[in-house]
Amino acid sequence: MNILVVNDDGIFSSGVLCLAQALQPFGNVSIVCPDQERSAISHAITLKSPVKANKVNFFDTSLEAWAVNGTPADCVKMAIEVILKEKPDVIVSGINRGPNLGRDVFYSGTISAAIEGAMYQIPSVAISLATLKPNPNFSIVEPLAYEVFETLFRHKFSPEAVLNINLPYLSKEMVKGVAVTPLAMDVLRYQYVGLNDPQGYLCYWLSDHLSELNFEDEESDYYKLRDGFITITPLQLNMTNTAMKAKIGKWFQGAKQSY
């Protein structure tokens, strides 16, 4: 099995090393990541400047790795269309520092890289770690990642769905299990905070309020992750609202005659 590993934290983040090591027992791992951190860049691609891919020494391992001066979505496109000799069988994005929950799916470069993979009809997974510490010990959760992928790779999952996985920052012995959860879309995690700049002008920064939030929905991704579960949320690639499509279609039946 050929596995493509991507991320949004940059080619030399500890999370991507941990992920590559966890995936090595399952097949041939190739790494294509941004040359610097590209967090919260969503699904942007580079249109008005050249994109370059440079082969790099990946943490003194024998793994083949490339650094791309673009976005996570660029990395996937470059890997499939330019860099790799064979189309990957699966794409895994991460391990992201910090969880991706609820509305994060629209902002996250980690998840967008997996979505880009699904757009090529390749089964794709995004995986994140529930800690905001500057230098988390990813080796603690490497066994968790390995066991999750061991189960996933025993089954076939459709490339039409992207799997969003969040790992609690806990040892294997402390984890309660795996919960398949919906996104808590009503949770407002990022909020603007007003600050004065050195010249006294008011400006605003987005502040992450994750540690202060309370969650009432016990089945949501937020709640289950905080409760000590690994969470998996299947995301639907086709965003068309089919019910609304049919409804609006009826509104405009015969509309051409009125123009």
Side-chain angles (χ1 to χ4, degrees):
M1 178 166 61
N2 293 318
I3 305 169
L4 171 62
V5 168
V6 297
N7 76 349
D8 74 355
D9 285 334
I11 186 69
F12 294 121
S13 70
S14 299
V16 74
L17 174 62
C18 173
L19 179 59
Q21 291 172 333
L23 291 171
Q24 273 191 285
F26 302 107
N28 176 48
V29 176
S30 300
I31 300 113
V32 181
C33 293
D35 59 359
Q36 59 185 288
E37 184 178 346
R38 301 282 184 171
S39 296
I41 203 164
S42 189
H43 208 119
I45 56 174
T46 303
L47 292 177
K48 297 186 178 180
S49 59
V51 180
K52 302 176 184 178
N54 296 315
K55 201 166 187 179
V56 297
N57 178 344
F58 186 71
F59 293 96
D60 291 323
T61 69
S62 60
L63 290 168
E64 290 199 324
W66 289 263
V68 174
N69 67 328
T71 69
D74 284 330
C75 291
V76 175
K77 290 179 70 65
M78 285 286 288
I80 295 170
E81 298 181 12
V82 178
I83 297 171
L84 301 180
K85 295 178 182 178
E86 297 182 43
K87 186 177 178 180
D89 299 299
V90 65
I91 295 173
V92 186
S93 181
I95 298 174
N96 189 65
R97 183 178 67 86
N100 275 304
L101 303 160
R103 300 183 189 188
D104 298 347
V105 299
F106 293 100
Y107 310 129
S108 168
T110 302
I111 291 175
S112 292
I115 291 173
E116 183 69 23
M119 289 166 65
Y120 283 90
Q121 291 294 296
I122 300 171
S124 299
V125 178
I127 183 166
S128 305
L129 179 61
T131 181
L132 299 176
K133 290 184 177 181
N135 297 295
N137 183 1
F138 281 94
S139 63
I140 292 175
V141 296
E142 186 176 327
L144 299 181
Y146 174 85
E147 290 200 356
V148 169
F149 288 114
E150 186 178 38
T151 299
L152 287 179
F153 293 155
R154 287 203 307 265
H155 300 83
K156 289 185 178 181
F157 56 96
S158 170
E160 299 294 328
V162 170
L163 302 185
N164 179 32
I165 300 172
N166 286 283
L167 305 175
Y169 193 34
L170 299 171
S171 65
K172 180 180 173 181
E173 294 74 24
M174 297 293 291
V175 173
K176 293 183 179 180
V178 176
V180 182
T181 63
L183 297 173
M185 295 300 292
D186 58 334
V187 177
L188 189 59
R189 174 178 168 183
Y190 295 100
Q191 300 173 39
Y192 281 108
V193 174
L195 299 169
N196 288 317
D197 68 11
Q199 286 73 41
Y201 292 102
L202 185 62
C203 58
Y204 294 87
W205 287 80
L206 274 178
S207 177
D208 189 346
H209 292 260
L210 179 64
S211 62
E212 306 162 21
L213 298 174
N214 293 314
F215 317 117
E216 296 180 0
D217 183 356
E218 297 184 3
E219 298 303 315
S220 73
D221 52 353
Y222 275 94
Y223 188 97
K224 288 294 187 183
L225 184 62
R226 178 170 286 185
D227 199 31
F229 286 85
I230 297 169
T231 67
I232 301 178
T233 304
L235 306 177
Q236 184 170 290
L237 184 61
N238 189 336
M239 297 173 67
T240 304
N241 185 325
T242 53
M244 184 61 73
K245 175 178 173 289
K247 185 175 183 179
I248 294 175
K250 292 179 181 178
W251 295 353
F252 288 92
Q253 282 179 352
K256 188 174 181 179
Q257 288 82 349
S258 64
Y259 293 148

